[in-house]
Amino acid sequence: MLRTNTCGELRISDVGKKVKLNGWVQRVRDKGALVWIDLRDRYGITQIFGEEGVTDKELLNQMKELGREFVISVEGEVAERFSKNDKIPTGDIELKIEKLEVLNESKVPPFKIENETDGGEDLRMKYRYLDLRRDVVRSSLQIRHRMAKSVRDYLDHQEFIEVETPVLIKSTPEGARDFLVPSRMNPGEFYALPQSPQTFKQILMVAGFDRYFQLVKCFRDEDLRADRQPEFTQIDCEMSFVEREDILQTFEGLAKYLFKEVKGIEVEDFPRMEYADAMSLYGSDKPDIRFEMTFKDLNEVAKGKGFKVFDDSEAVLGICVKGCAEYTRKQLDEITNWVKRPQIGAKGLVYVKCNADGSYKSSVDKFFNQDDLKAWAEVSGAEANDLLLVLSGDLKKTRKALGELRLEMGSRLGLRDKNVFKPLWVVNFPLLEWDEESERFHAMHHPFTSPIPEDLKKLETEPGEVRANAYDMVINGVEIGGGSIRIHNRDVQSRMFDALGFTKEEAQAQFGFLLEAFEYGAPPHGGIAFGFDRLCSLFGGSDSIRDFIAFPKNTSGRDVMIDSPSPASLEQLKELGIKLFEEK
């Protein structure tokens, strides 16, 4: 080995030892007669020390000539540090240098390789290999490694088997857009990259692999944001001979195991919440339950008083913000402007201050008297010094806007602590949702989701009322994973395709292999898939999954380091039978 120890390994107990370290020069501090080098590797930083009159003069000069990010090898004796640094594990010692070898020089890096870097995101993504040297990025990938190992350990102990499924598959019409891959050997035909291994894991259940999992790469050609990437990783799982409760218990166990192994914390049993309750109380199918502030229906007490905005609305909903009656007009105007932003879409905001003396002050005093406002407060559970914030309009849009306002107020009041974790299961989603553009129903999850047994009879007559035997795991307002009990009967699957507007021919062409497999003894089965990148970012306290992916794409779907995607040559396109323009 070119080294005896790493740069994060040496402690006070090693004083007097002769060691050899390799790494990158973080910085050089030249004080003339004294020179220090901070030497960094993946494991930490060790201070290297040279002193005029003690260190060889040529060696001291060599130290002074080092540049940032030079790769060097140093030998010397471990000594107790005179001025200790309690911010790093190696802060009690330093290495008295005796020999130095430059293994490779470096150009001056385009940004500081430090946690508090001066490099913008685009620049750091272009030089990702430099960004990965920073502790904060490396620690994110170490969290990812520990998460992956812990997932495999837990599922292996639960007798799951990891099976790899194909990456080149068939395109399907449901869900997001597929990435297509042309086939040279089959001109005019295309593979698709999988959005998930859904049909393959169901086939594995038919094949008798009753407990399957895979940490699998998936692909979706969709618009990006902080928590999305065109390629991402799932913890993909499926189980046979189970009911919903078996799956919830198994994977609640996985989440608890990860919290304990990776974060060192215990979490309580996950509460269950109906989808309908999540929407009516929080305006979201992924509610953040770290704080209260649930929706209150004010229709009965707010309508019929001559205020046209409320009277003409389908819904009048409010939230009680505890202890905020002292908000100034400027603060309330700022919140009003916030909800009017296009991303939120509210037309305005009504507020009621519950004053300490028992009186009320609102933005609609000309329409509502003190008794009216008192009724609002009673319905909302508002007390002295509380603030009511009220939105109205179309039910669906008002719920969405008030849900966003609730989260914003939670953030402003410090109620969304990233070190507090509140998981839950959301269950019984709608099976289908109506799409105005295509004028047909779409599967809310996917077309293989089983209806709740008692709702199956409504599939042809009231498809919009059918509930899915589906469930999502939500932690701190983030959907971490979702799944369902699957359809395992060919007749029921055919009825589902009918409800989705598939012709018999389309269903056979797209999913004939699965329908046929169901005729050979398909067991009852169900599963779940977790967004692994998202789970890692939650555990790491970040809002962006890019921090937990070694080589992520930017918001335009580009890898700016390798400049991808890039044009293909005419020769490649000809070989694939693809013509982008008329040849001259």
Side-chain angles (χ1 to χ4, degrees), residues 49-149:
F49 175 64
E51 182 179 7
E52 193 174 287
V54 177
T55 307
D56 178 80
K57 186 175 181 180
E58 186 177 336
L59 179 56
L60 202 64
N61 288 333
Q62 194 179 6
M63 291 176 70
K64 294 180 178 184
E65 292 171 1
L66 294 173
R68 282 193 294 148
E69 300 307 310
F70 276 38
V71 187
I72 65 172
S73 178
V74 296
E75 296 180 44
E77 182 179 325
V78 180
E80 184 172 0
R81 193 161 160 175
F82 177 74
S83 179
K84 294 183 171 58
N85 181 354
D86 60 5
K87 294 181 180 178
I88 59 174
T90 59
D92 289 340
I93 60 93
E94 61 188 4
L95 187 70
K96 286 186 176 180
I97 193 167
E98 297 173 359
K99 184 177 179 182
L100 184 153
E101 180 185 0
V102 176
L103 301 176
N104 214 335
E105 295 184 356
S106 170
K107 296 196 318 186
V108 175
F111 54 86
K112 290 180 181 178
I113 315 297
E114 298 177 8
N115 288 349
E116 299 300 322
T117 183
D118 57 355
E121 186 174 48
D122 289 344
L123 184 64
R124 288 186 288 109
M125 288 187 72
K126 180 177 180 180
Y127 296 94
R128 184 62 170 175
Y129 44 86
L130 298 179
D131 198 33
L132 285 166
R133 294 180 188 175
R134 296 193 302 128
D135 284 344
V136 66
V137 182
R138 185 170 59 249
S139 65
S140 295
L141 293 184
Q142 287 171 333
I143 287 175
R144 186 184 180 97
H145 163 73
R146 290 181 63 199
M147 294 278 284
K149 182 180 183 302

Side-chain angles (χ1 to χ4, degrees), residues 426-565:
V426 178
V427 299
N428 295 343
F429 287 76
L431 181 70
L432 307 169
E433 55 185 345
W434 182 257
D435 180 66
E436 294 289 347
E437 190 172 325
S438 61
E439 295 187 336
R440 70 177 183 91
F441 282 105
H442 287 258
M444 193 161 187
H445 280 74
H446 54 62
F448 315 107
T449 299
S450 176
I452 293 287
E454 56 265 33
D455 287 0
L456 182 58
K457 60 182 179 292
K458 300 179 183 177
L459 192 56
E460 285 78 22
T461 57
E462 300 174 277
E465 300 299 315
V466 180
R467 292 168 297 166
N469 201 348
Y471 34 83
D472 279 0
M473 183 187 289
V474 177
I475 305 177
N476 293 359
V478 178
E479 178 202 330
I480 294 300
S484 65
I485 297 297
R486 320 301 188 192
I487 297 169
H488 68 281
N489 176 281
R490 176 172 181 141
D491 290 339
V492 175
Q493 187 65 71
S494 294
R495 289 171 65 187
M496 180 66 167
F497 286 144
D498 289 343
L500 292 169
F502 282 65
T503 66
K504 298 294 183 187
E505 294 74 22
E506 287 171 337
Q508 184 63 34
Q510 294 291 337
F511 304 110
F513 67 95
L514 185 64
L515 293 171
E516 185 174 3
F518 283 172
E519 295 182 323
Y520 288 90
H525 60 281
I528 193 167
F530 295 91
F532 184 60
D533 313 293
R534 195 175 293 178
L535 192 59
C536 291
S537 68
L538 181 81
F539 272 56
S542 173
D543 293 326
S544 173
I545 65 173
R546 286 199 293 270
D547 298 336
F548 294 82
I549 298 173
F551 301 101
K553 308 289 189 294
N554 67 12
T555 51
S556 300
R558 296 196 66 83
D559 185 326
V560 294
M561 184 184 75
I562 63 173
D563 193 23
S564 172

Side-chain angles (χ1 to χ4, degrees), residues 6-11 19 21 24-29 31 34-41 44-50 63 72 74-86 88-98:
T6 69
C7 293
E9 185 178 352
L10 299 171
R11 299 291 186 271
V19 299
L21 306 179
W24 287 261
V25 175
Q26 177 92 359
R27 66 173 64 86
V28 178
R29 285 167 289 160
K31 299 297 184 182
L34 303 173
V35 182
W36 293 271
I37 299 169
D38 286 343
L39 187 65
R40 182 194 70 241
D41 65 8
I45 292 176
T46 297
Q47 180 171 282
I48 314 301
F49 175 64
M63 291 176 70
I72 65 172
V74 296
E75 296 180 44
E77 182 179 325
V78 180
E80 184 172 0
R81 193 161 160 175
F82 177 74
S83 179
K84 294 183 171 58
N85 181 354
D86 60 5
I88 59 174
T90 59
D92 289 340
I93 60 93
E94 61 188 4
L95 187 70
K96 286 186 176 180
I97 193 167
E98 297 173 359

